[in-house]
Amino acid sequence: MAFASFNSVFRNSISLPTMVVSDMSDNVRNGFSFPKKTSIYKGQRNLQDLTVANVASPLPVTAPPPPTPQEPSGTTGGRQHHVAWTSIPQERWQGELLVQGQIPLWLKGTYLRNGPGMWHIGDYNFRHLFDGYATVVKLHFENGRLIAGHRQLESQAYKAAKQNQKICYREFSEVPKAANFLSYVGELASLFSGASLTDNANTGVTKLGDGRVVCLTETQKGSIVIDPETLDTLGKFEYSDSLGGLIHSAHPIVTDKEFLTLLPDLVKPGYLVVRMEPGTNERKVIGRVNCRGGPAPGWVHSFPVTEHYVIVPEMPLRYCAQNLLKAEPTPLYKFEWHPDSKGFMHVMCKTSGNIVASVEVPLFVTFHFINAYEEEDEDGRVTAVVVDCCEHNSDTTILEKLRLENLRSFNGEDVLPDARVGRFKIPLDGSPYGTLEAALDPNEHGKGMDMCSINPNNLGKKYRYAYACGAERPCNFPNTLTKLDFELKKAKNWYEEGAVPSEPFFVARPGATEEDDGVVISIISEKNGEGYALVLDGSTFEEIARAKFPYGLPYGLHGCWVPKQ
């Protein structure tokens, strides 16, 4: 497969169409108001008992337009979808929200969340959760107040689709419809160069060590710089090195000091481990891992690190070039399940690039790793690496369950595949095998587990707590916010009937000495079509504040924190 190279330039952004500018009163006239209704959730207080600490003041906003007569992604056979799986009705909005409860005064900065927010173009409905065009949401906290907003990311894929009213690039499960055989052949040729792959950066958003904020997906061309205050699309993040490649991990490891990621090699199956310094666009190779099994590298949506090592997972759910070429999606989309190829975990030294362990492990399926750390003996020698992930019991059906048709058709049956916190133990004594077990009883979190975050100060170190989405059964999607305690092997859940919460994101209190001293932020989509921002105490896991949006937001994926300077 051919590789594409990238140059270190930023293209000028293309502005959004002119929209109506209004104030909060206009929102009410457009049918968007702040309801007084409150809800009770398990183990918590009625919000009517909470004081209204902050009241929205007049602020310029972009008023949502009235709903269009045709909203194909909003209904099926006259039945309204949950707002979590409904396209957002406008390109952008901003306003100050009324806060119920109390936002800590120390919480100063902006939470950014990325994810698919538009699942249709014209009268065509997309098929999969991962196909939607990216919508970036912001929650700016300062002095106990909250300013919210969202904006569609202006990728080439989104702009072309909007202009032509059809899909123009290859998305996760969508392929542009060829007019004839010759155009199909031409489209295949552009696939090998990467030209037809989407730049729809709808998966994550991260703040680099130099302050730039980049939205990401699994295609390398889908790296797009945004302004964290205005959410404007500033241009492509183009790598200045000659490493090439078409895909990379959607979840790099980013700190103030470095940017680490994996580049799967689809030609000579393996992975390049690369590092990028703050202030540059140049990736430098730390080392390479050759695959030990299968015809292609395993999917690397994410990966973990410790203080001294990069852990490269080799999952038996492997990339498949044949499936990528097909015009219609297969049950496993761009991947194939190869249980006979086995599963492996590789441990690479960050400094030398040497592989210090490469062990076979039980079969596994995971999108998201939680954290990893080094285990030492009484003499301080590292004897093993421990790796935690959201593991789907080596069941690949989770991909099919994320089809929008399945998410929108929930009828009360319990159809969410089981998941657990999978804990790998990788020995560093030359042993050929590692282990994989549950880190705590899956019943603690409803046998549903994904979308985890931790205190970033514990990245790569031994830790006690993680925050995730779990399950209150019956369900077809994770529907709780869950605090995991690995020391007590217990979980505590926040749950509200009919709500779909996005990834819980932990923000540590400045100067904190306890690992869970901070807050957890999530954005909730409600069954009634509304939604709100939620703030939980990181220690007690009780609600301390919520703020309703003037409209419901669809489900989103991953976020980052941009502290106020």
Side-chain angles (χ1 to χ4, degrees):
M1 183 171 289
F3 292 106
S5 63
F6 300 87
N7 297 318
S8 176
V9 295
F10 289 99
R11 295 192 177 93
N12 293 328
S13 62
I14 297 179
S15 60
L16 284 165
T18 302
M19 305 288 281
V20 178
V21 177
S22 170
D23 60 19
M24 278 298 196
S25 61
D26 288 330
N27 280 338
V28 177
R29 287 197 293 272
N30 277 289
F32 294 89
S33 60
F34 295 98
K36 295 181 179 179
K37 185 185 75 171
T38 57
S39 303
I40 299 175
Y41 50 95
K42 284 189 176 181
Q44 309 300 328
R45 297 168 291 171
N46 189 321
L47 278 174
Q48 291 173 344
D49 298 330
L50 297 175
T51 60
V52 178
N54 308 302
V55 179
S57 59
L59 183 83
V61 300
T62 303
T68 56
Q70 258 190 66
E71 184 59 68
S73 63
T75 60
T76 298
R79 184 172 60 85
Q80 187 70 26
H81 299 150
H82 195 296
V83 70
W85 321 119
T86 302
S87 291
I88 201 160
Q90 70 275 2
E91 287 189 313
R92 60 186 174 125
W93 179 86
Q94 178 170 295
E96 185 170 0
L97 304 185
L98 180 149
V99 175
Q100 294 177 290
Q102 187 109 25
I103 294 172
L105 293 178
W106 61 259
L107 188 62
K108 296 181 180 180
T110 302
Y111 168 66
L112 297 173
R113 189 198 75 177
N114 193 8
M118 185 174 291
W119 287 292
H120 76 283
I121 191 70
D123 59 358
Y124 182 75
N125 249 329
F126 294 171
R127 287 175 276 205
H128 201 277
L129 170 64
F130 298 160
D131 286 325
Y133 293 119
T135 302
V136 183
V137 179
K138 77 169 184 179
L139 301 175
H140 178 74
F141 299 90
E142 191 168 2
N143 299 323
R145 304 176 75 167
L146 175 55
I147 295 174
H150 84 265
R151 191 159 187 168
Q152 287 299 120
L153 187 72
E154 292 220 286
S155 62
Q156 288 180 338
Y158 174 66
K159 290 186 293 184
K162 189 170 63 169
Q163 179 179 345
N164 296 287
Q165 288 296 291
K166 65 178 183 179
I167 298 164
C168 300
Y169 291 85
R170 284 178 173 257
E171 305 297 338
F172 180 78
S173 75
E174 301 289 346
V175 177
K177 303 303 179 185
N180 51 53
F181 179 73
L182 287 178
S183 62
Y184 172 68
V185 172
E187 200 274 333
L188 286 182
S190 65
L191 171 62
F192 285 111
S193 70
S196 70
L197 292 178
T198 187
D199 67 338
N200 176 26
N202 67 357
T203 305
V205 56
T206 188
K207 183 184 78 69
L208 304 184
D210 55 33
R212 289 178 292 178
V213 175
V214 183
C215 293
L216 295 163
T217 189
E218 293 192 348
T219 64
Q220 291 191 35
K221 66 187 292 187
S223 303
I224 298 178
V225 183
I226 65 168
D227 184 315
E229 294 184 8
T230 65
L231 305 185
D232 287 348
T233 300
L234 301 181
K236 298 275 189 179
F237 186 98
E238 301 203 49
Y239 302 96
S240 60
D241 54 71
S242 58
L243 296 178
L246 300 176
I247 54 178
H248 59 182
S249 171
H251 294 284
I253 302 294
V254 182
T255 68
D256 288 340
K257 297 180 180 179
E258 63 184 0
F259 174 107
L260 299 170
T261 195
L262 302 183
L263 308 182
D265 185 341
L266 304 181
V267 178
K268 183 182 178 183
Y271 315 86
L272 285 182
V273 181
V274 301
R275 175 191 288 117
M276 188 169 66
E277 301 295 330
T280 75
N281 290 43
E282 182 182 5
R283 300 163 299 181
K284 296 181 179 179
V285 176
I286 298 174
R288 178 186 165 90
V289 174
N290 292 322
C291 289
R292 288 181 55 182
W299 186 21
V300 284
H301 185 72
S302 68
F303 65 99
V305 300
T306 68
E307 289 188 85
H308 302 102
Y309 302 113
V310 176
I311 292 82
V312 180
E314 186 180 340
M315 188 163 56
L317 183 62
R318 298 178 181 273
Y319 295 100
C320 177
Q322 291 87 349
N323 286 352
L324 185 64
L325 294 172
K326 292 178 180 177
E328 289 296 321
T330 68
L332 291 180
Y333 301 93
K334 308 299 187 289
F335 315 105
E336 276 188 338
W337 180 240
H338 290 274
D340 293 341
S341 73
K342 304 178 181 178
F344 303 93
M345 298 291 281
H346 311 277
V347 181
M348 178 182 289
C349 175
K350 285 182 182 178
T351 304
S352 68
N354 293 332
I355 299 171
V356 301
S358 180
V359 302
E360 181 183 335
V361 294
L363 301 181
F364 65 101
V365 170
T366 182
F367 299 162
H368 300 116
F369 286 89
I370 305 171
N371 197 21
Y373 60 89
E374 298 159 18
E375 200 169 70
E376 299 179 347
D377 62 17
E378 61 267 14
D379 297 322
R381 291 176 298 208
V382 179
T383 59
V385 169
V386 175
V387 175
D388 292 340
C389 69
C390 304
E391 206 277 309
H392 296 278
N393 296 291
S394 66
D395 181 1
T396 62
T397 61
I398 183 62
L399 275 172
E400 189 68 5
K401 294 297 183 182
L402 296 180
R403 285 174 62 97
L404 289 167
E405 177 185 9
N406 295 329
L407 296 175
R408 291 169 173 166
S409 60
F410 181 57
N411 58 6
E413 295 182 10
D414 193 25
V415 295
L416 178 69
D418 287 352
R420 60 179 176 168
V421 179
R423 172 160 287 182
F424 294 94
K425 189 169 183 179
I426 307 168
L428 299 186
D429 60 0
S431 300
Y433 300 103
T435 60
L436 171 60
E437 299 175 347
L440 72 165
D441 184 350
N443 290 308
E444 284 285 324
H445 51 74
K447 298 181 180 179
M449 181 54 38
D450 216 333
M451 312 301 283
C452 284
S453 73
I454 62 169
N455 185 326
N457 295 319
N458 287 78
L459 176 68
K461 303 176 184 177
K462 192 164 186 178
Y463 69 121
R464 177 175 176 177
Y465 301 109
Y467 302 90
C469 289
E472 177 79 11
R473 304 285 181 160
C475 61
N476 69 338
F477 194 80
N479 58 0
T480 73
L481 296 172
T482 301
K483 180 181 181 180
L484 306 170
D485 185 331
F486 292 117
E487 184 175 298
L488 298 180
K489 296 189 181 301
K490 290 290 183 181
K492 185 173 183 179
N493 295 323
W494 176 97
Y495 170 74
E496 193 164 276
E497 185 178 358
V500 177
S502 65
E503 175 186 63
F505 191 88
F506 181 84
V507 180
R509 183 179 65 81
T513 57
E514 297 297 324
E515 183 181 339
D516 60 350
D517 186 356
V519 298
V520 175
I521 301 169
S522 182
I523 294 174
I524 312 297
S525 303
E526 296 183 277
K527 187 177 181 180
N528 63 5
E530 298 173 355
Y532 54 91
L534 178 70
V535 182
L536 303 177
D537 182 285
S539 177
T540 66
F541 213 54
E542 294 184 356
E543 179 172 334
I544 56 177
R546 72 168 62 183
K548 273 197 173 294
F549 292 101
Y551 56 95
L553 279 168
Y555 180 75
L557 296 175
H558 304 284
C560 74
W561 178 252
V562 181
K564 182 176 176 60
Q565 299 300 322

